[in-house]
Coordinates of all heavy atoms in Angstrom, one line a residue:
G292 N -6.1 14.7 19.1 CA -5.7 14.2 20.4 C -6.3 15.0 21.5 O -6.4 16.2 21.4
R316 N -28.6 61.5 49.2 CA -27.3 61.1 48.5 C -26.1 61.1 49.6 O -25.4 60.1 49.7 CB -26.9 62.0 47.3 CG -25.7 61.5 46.6 CD -25.4 62.5 45.4 NE -24.3 62.0 44.6 CZ -24.4 61.3 43.5 NH1 -25.6 60.9 43.2 NH2 -23.4 60.9 42.8
S339 N -2.8 40.1 57.0 CA -1.6 40.2 57.8 C -1.4 38.9 58.6 O -0.2 38.5 58.9 CB -1.7 41.4 58.8 OG -1.8 42.6 58.1
A367 N -40.4 59.2 44.0 CA -39.3 60.1 44.4 C -38.0 59.3 44.1 O -37.9 58.1 44.2 CB -39.4 60.4 45.9
P368 N -36.9 60.1 43.8 CA -35.6 59.4 43.5 C -35.1 58.6 44.7 O -35.3 59.0 45.8 CB -34.7 60.6 43.2 CG -35.7 61.7 42.8 CD -36.9 61.5 43.7
A385 N -10.8 29.3 56.2 CA -10.8 30.8 56.4 C -11.8 31.4 55.5 O -12.4 32.4 55.9 CB -9.3 31.3 56.2
V404 N -18.4 32.5 44.5 CA -17.1 32.0 44.9 C -16.6 31.2 43.8 O -17.3 30.3 43.3 CB -17.2 31.2 46.2 CG1 -15.8 30.6 46.5 CG2 -17.7 32.0 47.4
A414 N -0.2 26.9 34.9 CA 0.8 26.9 33.8 C 1.4 25.5 33.6 O 1.4 25.0 32.4 CB 1.9 27.9 33.9
A432 N -3.1 8.0 15.5 CA -2.6 7.9 14.2 C -1.9 6.5 14.0 O -2.0 5.9 12.9 CB -1.6 9.0 13.9
V444 N 4.5 6.0 11.4 CA 3.8 7.3 11.2 C 4.9 8.4 11.4 O 5.6 8.4 12.4 CB 2.6 7.5 12.2 CG1 1.5 6.6 11.9 CG2 3.1 7.3 13.6
L455 N -5.7 23.3 11.9 CA -5.6 22.5 10.8 C -6.9 22.3 10.0 O -6.9 21.8 8.9 CB -4.9 21.1 11.1 CG -3.5 21.2 11.7 CD1 -3.0 19.7 11.9 CD2 -2.6 21.9 10.7
P461 N -10.2 27.7 16.5 CA -9.0 27.2 17.3 C -9.4 27.0 18.8 O -10.2 27.7 19.3 CB -8.0 28.3 17.2 CG -8.4 29.1 16.0 CD -9.9 28.9 15.9
L481 N -18.2 26.0 52.5 CA -17.7 26.2 51.1 C -16.5 25.3 50.9 O -15.4 25.6 51.4 CB -17.4 27.6 50.8 CG -18.6 28.6 50.9 CD1 -18.1 30.0 50.9 CD2 -19.6 28.3 49.8

Side-chain angles (χ1 to χ4, degrees):
R316 185 182 184 90
S339 297
V404 178
V444 292
L455 293 184
L481 297 170

